[in-house]
Amino acid sequence: MTARSTRAWAGVAAAAVALGVTGLLAVPFGPQADARTAVGSTVIDLTPGPVKEWAIQTFGMADKLVLSILVVVVIAVIAALTAMWETRRRPVGSIAIVAAGIAGSAAVLSRAGASALDIVPTLVGTVCGVAVLRLLVSGRFTDAPETDRGRRLSLVTLGFIGAGALSGVAGVVLTRLLSSVAGDRSAFALPSPDVDAAPVPPTVQPKGVALPPFVTPNADFYRIDTALSVPQLSRADWQLTIHGMTDREITYRFEDLQQFEVVEKMITLTCVSNPIGGELISNATWTGYRVRDVLADAGVHRDADMVLSTSIDGFTVGTPVEALTDDRDSLLAIGMNGEPLPTEHGYPARLVVPGLYGYVSATKWVVDLELTRFDRAQAYWTRLGWAPRAPIKTQSRIDVPRSGQRVARGAVVFGGVAWAQNRGVRAVEIRVDGPGGQGDWRPAELGASYSNDTWRLWSFPWRAAAPGPHTITVRATDNTGAVQTPERADPIPDGATGWHTVSFTVT
């Protein structure tokens, strides 16, 4: 290798050691001291709204994994490039590592609940990274003959890279083991509902077509949020403070919630980033307490029109007061499909509001409710250009056939889902276009309607006769009589619109 390439690899080794030591030393300090997560979270916060939307559309629920990998790659590239110019008298790479350490410390301090003590792992990791780089560049670590030094240097460099990677992995594993609330969650038995959800009739699921189950299993429920590392909050540490435009400030501990009626309710949640035909929508049975009951003792002022809810990690959501206090029975949920909330879905408590996109309603790991006004406060996503109020729009999706699918001639059954939460779906219509021209709109067969707050599954028997390319289009009508608009709109600022169309071929 050339001298510059050798120094570049030395920079990668130094960065690996810095990150590994930082991650390992952060274990006794707690998750808030992990600079890698802090930097990634800061990147998320500073990223413009349209770029965030592009990432969600492109990577879906893998967006956090992609960001984590990207952060590590960028650090390695910067370390390699700056280390190429590192010499004994010109410490360019060392200065870059120090600058990265300062940036990492600032990112740690910007996180909710962090203190000055939490930057100690980052500072120690920075010193170790600089020391490794200076050692590798100086060549003083070996007294081997000149002809053997290159190979020895490569082996030592590789050893430092491996040690840094192993330290980082160990830090991640130990942090998860020590901070995990899995034991707390498994020890929690959901209270029996005072108000049970209505039983699900078997007729909600159309026959003869492979559609998503009416109730989405917890493992398959979509997850879109800004938490790079899932917050670990136990029931003992959880508390909910209600304040702002209220008669009095109230703080509830988890055990205090037992005074309220336990409600079980099935609700379909939808992400505002769901594109036409997208899968960022799921349906579950939630167990919890009516938000209006939880707010009642605080005495909400009449001129308050927004609740600014805050997660344990500092994420904020603005929800209209009426959506939390009317008869739609918005919930402070503690259970999902008959078990305690999964940690990635908000354990031990979160908000679930029928009829609103998640970014204005579905706060996970919620710890604070501030009564305020839309003209006085902005939440996380509204500061980035999304609409402050976002009722879910009437939409529908084709699940069968899939785009590009080959369909054999003869009788087939197509199908999909439709939704208009808080209004319900009255009808779904299908149009199949093919070699013979544009088809007419025809009614689909609907699965039974469970409630206005849940999606509705549909099927469409069709005889595939004319071979060649075809397209199928779907549109829904909600219970107010409003027909889904064909006007195509992007998810920003308040949800996508347009008819979903799928192309397939009859063979």
Side-chain angles (χ1 to χ4, degrees):
M1 291 192 294
T2 64
R4 282 196 172 181
S5 63
T6 299
R7 288 196 295 268
W9 280 108
V12 174
V17 169
L19 289 173
V21 170
T22 297
L24 192 57
L25 288 182
V27 173
F29 288 82
Q32 74 282 352
D34 188 346
R36 295 166 299 178
T37 300
V39 169
S41 299
T42 301
V43 169
I44 292 175
D45 292 345
L46 296 178
T47 300
V51 178
K52 285 190 177 77
E53 184 61 32
W54 171 84
I56 293 173
Q57 297 294 327
T58 304
F59 304 113
M61 288 181 281
D63 58 341
K64 298 171 186 65
L65 175 61
V66 171
L67 175 61
S68 298
I69 294 173
L70 184 61
V71 167
V72 173
V73 169
V74 169
I75 290 174
V77 169
I78 293 174
L81 291 176
T82 56
M84 290 172 63
W85 303 98
E86 177 86 4
T87 66
R88 295 180 184 179
R89 297 182 178 180
R90 189 174 58 190
V92 177
S94 298
I95 292 173
I97 293 175
V98 171
I102 294 172
S105 298
V108 168
L109 291 174
S110 70
R111 297 295 95 191
S115 67
L117 194 62
D118 292 321
I119 67 173
V120 170
T122 304
L123 297 179
V124 175
T126 301
V127 171
C128 291
V130 171
V132 167
L133 180 59
R134 299 302 291 172
L135 177 65
L136 293 176
V137 169
S138 71
R140 295 177 180 175
F141 61 89
T142 178
D143 56 359
E146 185 70 29
T147 55
D148 197 36
R149 287 187 180 181
R151 184 171 63 87
R152 184 71 63 85
L153 178 60
S154 297
L155 290 175
V156 173
T157 301
L158 184 61
F160 276 123
I161 293 175
L166 288 175
S167 298
V169 171
V172 171
V173 172
L174 288 173
T175 296
R176 290 181 178 178
L177 288 175
L178 294 176
S179 64
S180 174
V181 294
D184 184 76
R185 179 178 177 273
S186 63
F188 176 47
L190 278 180
S192 299
D194 299 301
V195 180
D196 291 298
V200 179
T203 49
V204 298
Q205 197 80 31
K207 296 181 179 180
V209 59
L211 296 180
F214 181 73
V215 179
T216 309
N218 290 355
D220 297 332
F221 205 96
Y222 82 90
R223 179 198 166 200
I224 297 292
D225 53 52
T226 63
L228 197 58
S229 177
V230 177
Q232 304 291 312
L233 182 61
S234 68
R235 284 172 290 142
D237 292 334
W238 181 87
Q239 62 182 31
L240 179 68
T241 300
I242 302 172
H243 62 107
M245 298 176 68
T246 61
D247 294 337
R248 64 193 66 82
E249 179 175 312
I250 295 178
T251 297
Y252 292 109
R253 306 290 298 182
F254 197 85
E255 58 269 20
D256 297 331
L257 299 177
Q258 297 175 14
Q259 64 186 284
F260 301 113
E261 192 172 47
V262 180
V263 176
E264 186 181 65
K265 185 177 177 68
M266 189 171 294
I267 300 170
T268 298
L269 298 187
T270 309
C271 180
V272 72
S273 295
N274 199 37
I276 301 302
E279 298 181 350
L280 300 180
I281 175 172
S282 303
N283 184 46
T285 301
W286 307 91
T287 303
Y289 312 94
R290 297 184 188 91
V291 178
R292 68 170 182 265
D293 294 344
V294 176
L295 293 176
D297 284 346
V300 178
H301 293 178
R302 290 186 177 181
D303 53 342
D305 64 3
M306 182 180 86
V307 173
L308 186 69
S309 54
T310 304
S311 167
I312 188 63
D313 62 355
F315 177 78
T316 55
V317 167
T319 308
V321 168
E322 65 267 19
L324 296 174
T325 55
D326 62 18
D327 60 4
R328 74 184 70 190
D329 285 348
S330 296
L331 297 179
L332 176 66
I334 59 172
M336 182 178 180
N337 288 334
E339 61 182 61
L341 287 172
T343 51
E344 63 270 22
H345 288 292
Y347 181 85
R350 62 168 293 168
L351 294 181
V352 175
V353 182
L356 298 180
Y357 286 116
Y359 83 100
V360 295
S361 65
T363 313
K364 303 172 186 175
W365 316 286
V366 63
V367 294
D368 189 274
L369 300 178
E370 178 187 359
L371 278 298
T372 181
R373 294 185 54 82
F374 282 102
D375 57 8
R376 297 180 187 176
Q378 284 187 309
Y380 182 92
W381 285 108
T382 52
R383 288 198 302 269
L384 296 174
W386 271 258
R389 299 172 185 264
I392 295 174
K393 299 175 180 179
T394 302
Q395 287 293 112
S396 54
R397 184 184 78 200
I398 300 163
D399 288 80
V400 180
R402 292 293 185 181
S403 179
Q405 182 175 333
R406 291 181 176 273
V407 176
R409 296 173 71 175
V412 296
V413 181
F414 297 146
V417 296
W419 59 92
Q421 290 94 311
N422 210 35
R423 301 181 304 282
V425 173
R426 174 191 298 179
V428 171
E429 296 172 289
I430 303 300
R431 185 177 69 197
V432 180
D433 307 333
Q438 188 177 75
D440 297 325
W441 287 106
R442 295 170 55 192
E445 298 178 3
L446 296 178
S449 174
Y450 179 84
S451 79
N452 286 351
D453 294 326
T454 60
W455 60 8
R456 197 165 184 184
L457 279 57
W458 60 267
S459 62
F460 184 72
W462 187 69
R463 178 161 292 277
H470 293 69
T471 60
I472 177 174
T473 305
V474 61
R475 70 181 183 187
T477 301
D478 65 31
N479 282 326
T480 70
V483 180
Q484 178 182 341
T485 178
E487 301 278 340
R488 294 192 73 87
D490 293 330
I492 300 175
D494 59 359
T497 61
W499 293 339
H500 187 209
T501 298
V502 169
S503 298
F504 65 98
T505 301
V506 174
T507 60

